[in-house]
Amino acid sequence: MGKSGRDNGQARSRESGPEGEPESSQGDDQRAAGRARVTRRRALWIGGGVVVVAGTAVALGAREELARWWWRLPGNEKPRKAGAVDYRGAQWVAAAPENWRRADRPADYEIDRVVIHVVQGSYATALKVFRDPEHEAGAHYVIRKDGHVAQLIRELDVAFHTGDRGYNERSVGIEHEGFVDRPESFTDAMYASSARLTAAICRRYGFPADREHVIGHVEVPGTDHTDPGPHWDWGRYLKLVRAELRRLPSPEAADQPRSAVPPGHAPPDTPS
């Protein structure tokens, strides 16, 4: 369309003036005006194309964003039960609402990562800070050195555990009691319990148990954290996770309250 318009304008500029005589200065003015019209038409056509492309991109972005928020419409949100957990045997200990964002994963954000953290402190310390609204961070799970598992945030929701919004939206965060520079922190019971939890998450969302999908906090882009540190045995850990995945899956107790600790109450082993 643009090419034919340009050609038509050039044909008009080569035409003779009135009376069949060669164009005078008036003809020069007419040719200039014709070229100006062609230039304006082409600019509008090209500019319109840019607007269409940009508008399409905006529309696609808006549609993607809408798809992530549709569940907020009445009747679309998944039913929830107070004190429910996603992992069988976990104890529910609610994190402060300021430390996570309500979502509807994996309907709005695909889950394809587990991020391994180390508390740099005790199990009780982790629960205390994640229940503190001023902490501005929280993980889905905390594992004690004896293997006990607490869930603080539903997997449906986005926990603020990596410092990176995209990684938060696509991952489940698991904290482990202990210190990165103390290898004795990572007990057999902790490794076994954590591996069972990670295997359940991998199975639930259908991603492999490998180092691309099970990562340390240190591997999140832009982080200044070093956990789980040099003493975390990745080879041993992934071997345990894969062994769990080879087992027949047992019925999960998702959405079932288990030893829930209501907000405002101190969970076991947590200072009040």
Side-chain angles (χ1 to χ4, degrees):
M1 181 177 181
K3 187 177 187 298
S4 62
R6 180 185 63 198
D7 292 345
N8 288 340
Q10 288 175 337
R12 283 194 297 271
S13 72
R14 290 195 295 270
E15 293 175 349
S16 299
E19 313 297 334
E21 295 294 328
E23 292 186 89
S24 62
S25 61
Q26 180 181 359
D28 293 338
D29 293 342
Q30 290 173 343
R31 283 197 301 272
R35 285 194 296 270
R37 286 195 298 272
V38 172
T39 301
R40 283 195 296 273
R41 284 198 301 272
R42 189 180 183 201
L44 286 171
W45 180 76
I46 295 173
V50 173
V51 170
V52 169
V53 172
T56 302
V58 170
L60 289 173
R63 186 169 63 181
E64 182 179 351
E65 191 64 23
L66 180 62
R68 290 175 173 171
W69 291 92
W70 71 271
W71 57 270
R72 290 197 172 191
L73 297 174
N76 286 331
E77 186 174 8
K78 294 184 180 72
R80 301 187 184 208
K81 298 178 183 178
V85 295
D86 298 296
Y87 177 68
R88 183 171 187 165
Q91 177 188 22
W92 177 251
V93 183
E98 291 80 1
N99 298 333
W100 55 277
R101 170 160 51 91
R102 194 175 182 90
D104 191 42
R105 303 188 310 168
D108 49 0
Y109 300 103
E110 180 184 4
I111 297 176
D112 66 357
R113 294 285 189 281
V114 169
V115 180
I116 301 299
H117 302 264
V118 173
V119 175
Q120 285 300 95
S122 68
Y123 171 86
T125 296
L127 299 191
K128 182 177 181 179
V129 298
F130 292 159
R131 290 165 62 83
D132 180 355
E134 296 184 1
H135 185 62
E136 298 182 346
H140 295 92
Y141 296 97
V142 180
I143 299 184
R144 203 164 57 197
K145 61 184 179 181
D146 63 359
H148 178 76
V149 179
Q151 181 171 2
L152 293 92
I153 299 166
R154 291 294 305 274
E155 291 176 16
L156 288 165
D157 299 320
V158 176
F160 303 154
H161 65 106
T162 71
D164 180 279
R165 178 172 178 167
Y167 272 75
N168 286 345
E169 290 170 344
R170 71 191 300 182
S171 66
V172 174
I174 306 177
E175 285 278 1
H176 298 78
E177 179 178 26
F179 298 84
V180 297
D181 57 346
R182 301 180 189 176
E184 65 274 15
S185 295
F186 310 131
T187 64
D188 293 344
M190 176 184 285
Y191 271 123
S193 177
S194 180
R196 285 192 294 271
L197 172 56
T198 293
I201 295 167
C202 291
R203 181 183 290 119
R204 182 157 39 249
Y205 301 108
F207 61 87
D210 57 28
R211 289 290 284 112
E212 179 182 352
H213 297 87
V214 183
I215 65 172
H217 193 176
V218 66
E219 295 168 84
V220 174
T223 188
D224 58 357
H225 288 247
T226 62
D227 53 319
H231 301 296
W232 181 264
D233 191 337
W234 280 109
R236 174 186 181 185
Y237 185 66
L238 289 178
K239 184 177 180 181
L240 289 169
V241 174
R242 290 164 184 158
E244 288 295 331
L245 284 172
R246 286 192 293 269
R247 298 175 185 269
L248 291 175
S250 58
E252 301 239 319
D255 295 327
Q256 298 301 316
R258 286 182 174 271
S259 304
V261 178
H265 294 72
D269 301 329
T270 302
S272 58

